[in-house]
Amino acid sequence: MKTITIGLGTCGVSAGGEKVFKAFHDELKEHPGTFQIKETGCVGMCYREVLVEISNGGDVSHMYGDVTPERVGRIVDEDVIGNTVIEDWLVSGAGREKGFFENQTRIVLRNCGKIDPGSMEEYVGTGGYQALEKVLKTMTPESVIDEVLKSGLRGRGGAGFPTGTKWKLTRAAAGTKKYIICNADEGDPGAFMDRSVLESDPHAVLEGMIIAAYAVGSDDLYIYCRAEYPKAIARLNQAIGQARRKGYLGKNILGTHFSFDIKIKEGAGAFVCGEETALIASIEGRRGMPRFRPPFPANAGLWGRPTSINNVETFANISWIILNGGAAYAAYGTADSKGTKVFAMAGKVRRTGLVEVPMGITINKIIFDVCGGIVNDRKFKAVQMGGPSGGCIPASMCETPIDYQQINKTGAIMGSGGLIVMDETTCMVDVARYFLTFTQSESCGKCTFCRIGTKRMLEILERISIGQGTMNDLDNLEELSLQIKSATLCGLGQSAPNPVITTLKYFRDEYVAHIQEKKCPAHVCASLLTYTINDKCTGCTVCAKACASNAITGSRKEIHVVDQEACIKCGKCFTVCRFDAVDKL
Amino acid sequence: MYSVSGIAMLSTFKDFNLMQEHSNEEFKSFNVDVWQHDGHAGALIPLLQSAQNTYGYVSEQAINHISHVTGISQAEIYGVVTFYAQFRTKPLGRNVIKVCNGTACHVNGAKMVYDTVQDELNITYDETTDDGSFSLISVACLGCCSLAPVITINGEVFGRLDATKLRKILREAKKRARETAVQNN
């Protein structure tokens, strides 16, 4: 019997996956017994959702992209019942997605979009929980740590601290009660790797956590997950319940004297809680404000006890490393950065979604070979890595390999894996202003330089973006950046100036254009634009009515005119026009 | 228009017309059992989440109650409530529109989305329309970056928006809200 698998990760649901799911159910009622329906998580091709895979039971399968409820009837009639593949609707039709999977190496995403995340049997069927059995029955905690050290795995949350070393320090710390925390507070806007892994393969994260607990000598595990990820939390709760029933969590795991249990703590929306000491404060029920380190959490973490905090993606690597060996993992990548990295691709790139590539691949290769280049073939300008803590790397430097050291040299950071592609229609001053707005509002307020310094930087950027900046402002921005970096406590403050520093370094001419010529070269900053009305105008008078400064004149059914003297450049006419008749230059 | 979050809430609390004090009967329904979890005083945030899940916001009364149960001062609880973006100290409108301001949405026109919503509903972020039918919230990232720019209305995602498409969606939502209001009267 044929199996129809529907992608119901957040990306699939957003694109209408549940309606497609229901449509298949309705079809099944009409043709009972012809096929079965399954759901799966995110395969990474978010830009082609809703994705539907048809398999004949064996290994042979094909996938349709952009499926709508209207297309379901034809898929069932022609393909499922009629055995004729609808070539036009295939994801790979006409060689369209060439290179997307071929250039990836999937370790973390190995099961994503393949298995039903709600079924523990399917996870076990792919070799799941074998690593845990191996660890508990044949390995000492020290040998587990050695294997992870050998793999060269570094923390995937952003800072890149070697995972094995973190475990070793926590294990060596004094005290009998220790904690493992999974940091699933994925706060970078534009990054969704962790959410996707939690939704698509929750058991892989649980298994990695239990192995970590065994290695450091902990029996109490926490997952700190963003409340904004309801589906991920539901999946985790379901998976924890299943693991308890099967004896992978609870007392005397697999007949040993080890006991582990996992609790979920929902975050309440604060970017700074991704910082480990803030995260601990938040679990303890306080305002999530970072504290001075040392002592590091490995010595004094949650409730003052030794705690190892690792990221979702880090944990998802562990069982693979145990089963295949640290050396096999270290075979991927560069001298400094081993293994693979998952990136969330967004912005002006053709294929937006999740990709996992071996370390050492160049940024250009990810954007052009894996992700198909820039939307509408516009000119590639820069890529933003590392979210609000990261920086913009210009197109000219995108032969840089994905490697912690090499990325740091550009002024950006590896970060957690958000990769936002920008083209010629993106204004770099606006991007810097955007990230500063974010970090400014997310600053916890503890350090003066972060609280007030980012505010002053933001004011300067706002001034520049409305054409009121001076060249002196650029020096002030640079000076403030250095001061904030050196006089703040946590990663949020220390990295907050990065987007400004990198855009100033690589795109100084854009800042200068805003200041001296009062022009926004990318036509983004509203106050620096000139609005004119072209001959597509139907004379509907909507723009004239909307204009706050009565700058638009014209009779009904005649082309309207903007009085540039009176125009306050609010952009309202551009927003209200339904005929593309307002140009901004 | 009134502010959904905002510091000025405690003083203006009582005379607010959409705000109804919870009866004592009702109040028992919100789960304070999550407190004292494992003998740690760590469940303040889950308690507040429980209060907000039950009533839609964290009321002054809820803060009093939590303070009474936990022994944590009201000021400290208020400090926690206002620290986290998730907590509201005022109720939301009947329909909630979230505009995504994640990076991908920002570079793909979140400003246009905001301008259009603002134009249609005449409210800005963290405000509710006078008739209590719509609240507008800005969120950092809804996580569907491939559909940017994106909004959600009551959790339903609308993606790949342009001004025309969005205006149509909003007008339909307004029409539905009016119809519901008429039915309820």
Side-chain angles (χ1 to χ4, degrees), chain A residues 142-154:
Chain A
E142 288 77 12
S143 62
V144 173
I145 293 176
D146 278 345
E147 208 57 48
V148 175
L149 280 171
K150 218 184 286 171
S151 74
L153 176 64
R154 296 172 62 165

Side-chain angles (χ1 to χ4, degrees), chain A residues 389-390 411-413 449-450 454 457 478-499 501-502:
Chain A
S389 310
I413 59 165
F449 278 83
C450 178
T454 56
M457 284 181 79
E478 275 165 348
E479 196 187 338
L480 275 166
S481 297
L482 291 176
Q483 288 172 348
I484 294 170
K485 274 177 104 68
S486 55
T488 50
L489 201 55
C490 81
L492 188 149
Q494 287 160 9
S495 61
N498 283 352
I501 296 173
T502 50

Side-chain angles (χ1 to χ4, degrees), chain A residues 578, chain B residues 94-97 115-123 128-135 151 153-154 158 165-183:
Chain A
R578 279 184 247 170
Chain B
R94 289 181 290 280
N95 302 284
V96 178
I97 299 180
D115 286 345
T116 309
V117 178
Q118 203 254 355
D119 189 55
E120 279 291 328
L121 298 176
N122 207 18
I123 45 172
T128 300
T129 49
D130 288 334
D131 61 358
S133 61
F134 286 95
S135 286
I151 63 163
I153 302 180
N154 302 330
F158 297 91
K165 194 172 159 188
L166 176 58
R167 222 169 262 279
K168 205 173 144 211
I169 291 166
L170 291 171
R171 286 186 182 163
E172 276 166 18
K174 282 205 294 198
K175 198 173 144 210
R176 270 199 308 276
R178 273 197 302 272
E179 285 164 2
T180 321
V182 170
Q183 278 167 16

Side-chain angles (χ1 to χ4, degrees), chain B:
Chain B
M1 279 167 250
Y2 58 87
S3 174
V4 174
S5 55
I7 301 231
M9 68 117 194
L10 283 174
S11 55
T12 57
F13 228 77
K14 294 271 159 43
D15 50 35
F16 183 68
N17 64 351
L18 284 178
M19 174 104 44
Q20 276 149 19
E21 291 289 300
H22 325 296
S23 70
N24 284 336
E25 296 304 301
E26 247 184 351
F27 217 81
K28 283 177 192 141
S29 64
F30 113 70
N31 182 13
V32 289
D33 299 340
V34 281
W35 182 249
Q36 286 307 343
H37 167 86
D38 293 347
H40 284 304
L44 178 58
I45 290 168
L47 264 183
L48 291 166
Q49 282 166 335
S50 169
Q52 180 153 302
N53 286 342
T54 312
Y55 303 114
Y57 69 106
V58 182
S59 65
E60 188 183 14
Q61 203 182 354
I63 292 177
N64 285 341
H65 186 58
I66 292 170
S67 173
H68 183 72
V69 173
T70 61
I72 300 174
S73 76
Q74 290 181 34
E76 199 175 332
I77 296 171
Y78 185 63
V80 172
V81 168
T82 51
F83 184 83
Y84 293 100
Q86 185 191 17
F87 297 122
R88 291 180 297 272
T89 50
K90 294 208 165 163
L92 286 173
R94 289 181 290 280
N95 302 284
V96 178
I97 299 180
K98 291 183 180 169
V99 174
C100 182
N101 276 294
T103 320
C105 285
H106 180 79
V107 299
N108 278 315
K111 174 82 170 46
M112 171 280 294
V113 170
Y114 167 74
D115 286 345
T116 309
V117 178
Q118 203 254 355
D119 189 55
E120 279 291 328
L121 298 176
N122 207 18
I123 45 172
T124 180
Y125 287 133
D126 293 334
E127 286 184 344
T128 300
T129 49
D130 288 334
D131 61 358
S133 61
F134 286 95
S135 286
L136 180 59
I137 295 177
S138 161
V139 291
C141 186
L142 289 164
C144 24
C145 306
S146 54
L147 298 173
V150 173
I151 63 163
T152 64
I153 302 180
N154 302 330
E156 191 182 350
V157 179
F158 297 91
R160 299 191 179 115
L161 298 169
D162 56 45
T164 317
K165 194 172 159 188
L166 176 58
R167 222 169 262 279
K168 205 173 144 211
I169 291 166
L170 291 171
R171 286 186 182 163
E172 276 166 18
K174 282 205 294 198
K175 198 173 144 210
R176 270 199 308 276
R178 273 197 302 272
E179 285 164 2
T180 321
V182 170
Q183 278 167 16
N184 291 346
N185 284 335

